[in-house]
Amino acid sequence: MKFRWCVIGAGGIADRRAIPAIIKDENFELAAIMDRTPAVAEKLGKKYKTKFYTNEETMLKETPCDGVYIGTPVALHVPQALTALKYGCNVLLEKPLAMNAAECDGLVSAFKRENKLLDAGYMMKYHNLHVKAKNLVQSGKIGQVNTARFFFSCWYPEIAGAWRQNKALGGGGSAMDLAVHCVELIEYVLGEEIAETKGFLANRTFSYEVEDTCVFLFRTKSGVIGSIEAGFNAPDGCGSKMEIYGTEGCVICSGTLGQEEKGSLSYLHVPFGGYDAMQNSAAPKPKRYYGAGGDLYLKQFRRFAALASRGENDYFYAERAAQVQRVLDGVYAEYR
């Protein structure tokens, strides 16, 4: 039997990434879609040859499904997820999970009470190079990890009606949209949580009501120190970086932060010791690995469907999403 998906918020990221991933898998069925804009709902219903609605509750009343994907503005996540839960649905909710950590915690608790699966749309951890980075770091291949750095940006000018530029709908700007991925990834790769942050938010380029620039330092529970730079005001061609440095080498991912499985990973291993006062020691050449070109959304959906089909309600990633939001709450609290 196919795993039946309903989609709430069928435009935007759902149309660009999520729905195309669902229809790639012969074991999935796109049971219905919903969008509050009638013209969008009808257009996408016809495009994907499925039932379409403008109200999520009506869709869920009339359409049996095994999982619900929600790709709407952040302010709608909690009420829409709870509506899906009311109809006994497992939910894959786009990131960030909610507007703040308290909302995240409440949502996770609600799904636990009803014994239904909840997961957050942090798909970048499924990138083959991020999995490689995690394995290298956690197996000690670069020794004791001491520092880390992220750079993640895009060009996002002022656009009329863009909900990510509306504080009431999105909760924040480049920190809420981009930096959250970096927080989730560093906790995934290191296998530990960020304990404290110090940073700055600013509107350097655009005049919308959320920040277009975010830079903050962090320290993990074990003492790793790092920085995250996330902005809506650097050209897309600037690329992205995730750098992790240890006592015996480093892992540097270039161009891997984003919606596609591309980019490269450079791994350098230098055995511990060998101090050279003249700094003439010849470092070995790094090993290079490349993105596998897979579909990150499809990987995420397959994991979710497998868990839901087996009745395995693993809340680890949902709880991590709440932890990520606690980190962001701290960044915003310092700024405000």
Side-chain angles (χ1 to χ4, degrees):
M1 181 178 292
K2 292 188 176 185
F3 190 92
R4 300 162 298 178
W5 287 95
C6 281
V7 173
I8 296 176
I13 193 65
D15 183 32
R16 293 194 305 272
R17 299 290 183 183
I19 297 175
I22 290 170
I23 63 177
K24 278 182 184 178
D25 194 315
E26 62 182 12
N27 295 310
F28 290 165
E29 175 189 340
L30 182 61
I33 63 166
M34 169 269 165
D35 197 277
R36 290 185 176 181
T37 304
V40 172
E42 182 177 4
K43 176 184 175 182
L44 295 177
K46 291 178 179 178
K47 176 180 178 179
Y48 295 113
K49 298 180 175 60
T50 191
K51 295 191 297 181
F52 58 91
Y53 296 84
T54 56
N55 179 276
E56 59 266 28
E57 187 148 7
T58 303
M59 177 179 70
L60 296 172
K61 277 181 182 177
E62 298 181 359
T63 311
C65 67
D66 303 298
V68 175
Y69 168 80
I70 299 176
T72 54
V74 185
L76 301 178
H77 284 186
V78 170
Q80 290 177 331
L82 291 177
T83 296
L85 181 61
K86 183 173 77 170
Y87 288 94
C89 300
N90 302 295
V91 172
L92 175 53
L93 187 55
E94 258 305 335
K95 63 82 197 170
L97 205 60
M99 296 285 273
N100 53 60
E103 285 189 358
C104 292
D105 290 338
L107 202 55
V108 174
S109 295
F111 274 77
K112 283 183 174 180
R113 283 195 301 271
E114 299 300 322
N115 198 31
K116 289 296 177 180
L117 179 61
L118 175 68
D119 199 357
Y122 287 105
M123 78 296 177
M124 292 188 198
K125 61 178 162 286
Y126 300 105
H127 194 303
N128 70 299
L129 297 181
H130 296 155
V131 175
K132 181 71 174 178
K134 174 188 176 182
N135 292 338
L136 288 169
V137 169
Q138 293 194 20
S139 63
K141 298 297 185 183
I142 63 170
Q144 174 187 287
V145 177
N146 293 314
T147 59
R149 175 181 175 267
F150 283 83
F151 175 78
F152 189 22
S153 71
C154 67
W155 185 254
Y156 194 38
E158 294 168 81
I159 302 171
W163 66 260
R164 287 180 179 83
Q165 297 172 8
N166 183 318
K167 186 176 179 181
L169 291 176
S174 60
M176 198 78 158
D177 191 51
L178 301 180
V180 288
H181 277 297
C182 303
V183 173
E184 203 268 347
L185 266 181
I186 197 61
E187 294 193 347
Y188 168 76
V189 171
L190 296 182
E192 63 167 325
E193 296 179 356
I194 289 175
E196 60 178 313
T197 61
K198 298 286 183 182
F200 298 93
L201 304 177
N203 287 82
R204 291 283 300 156
T205 307
F206 303 114
S207 60
Y208 38 67
E209 61 186 29
V210 297
E211 76 282 353
D212 61 26
T213 306
C214 164
V215 179
F216 63 90
L217 300 176
F218 65 82
R219 180 158 52 194
T220 68
K221 289 185 175 180
S222 75
V224 177
I225 297 172
S227 66
I228 292 174
E229 303 170 36
F232 283 160
N233 51 6
D236 293 339
C238 291
S240 68
K241 288 277 190 180
M242 177 178 74
E243 305 171 5
I244 303 172
Y245 297 92
T247 54
E248 297 183 40
C250 62
V251 171
I252 299 175
C253 290
S254 301
T256 60
L257 303 180
Q259 297 172 357
E260 299 179 87
E261 194 175 49
K262 59 184 182 179
S264 64
L265 181 152
S266 175
Y267 161 55
L268 178 68
H269 178 250
V270 182
F272 186 74
Y275 172 71
D276 180 2
M278 298 299 293
Q279 299 183 354
N280 289 325
S281 57
K285 289 185 178 181
K287 294 181 179 179
R288 295 194 182 278
Y289 305 88
Y290 297 93
D295 188 320
L296 301 179
Y297 289 83
L298 182 55
K299 290 183 181 185
Q300 178 177 243
F301 290 140
R302 282 175 171 167
R303 176 188 179 273
F304 181 92
L307 289 172
S309 297
R310 296 194 299 264
E312 295 180 16
N313 297 327
D314 182 350
Y315 298 103
F316 179 78
Y317 286 149
E319 290 172 335
R320 173 181 280 154
Q323 152 63 17
V324 168
Q325 209 56 45
R326 264 184 283 281
V327 173
L328 266 292
D329 285 356
V331 172
Y332 280 113
E334 184 179 11
Y335 172 65
R336 291 167 185 151

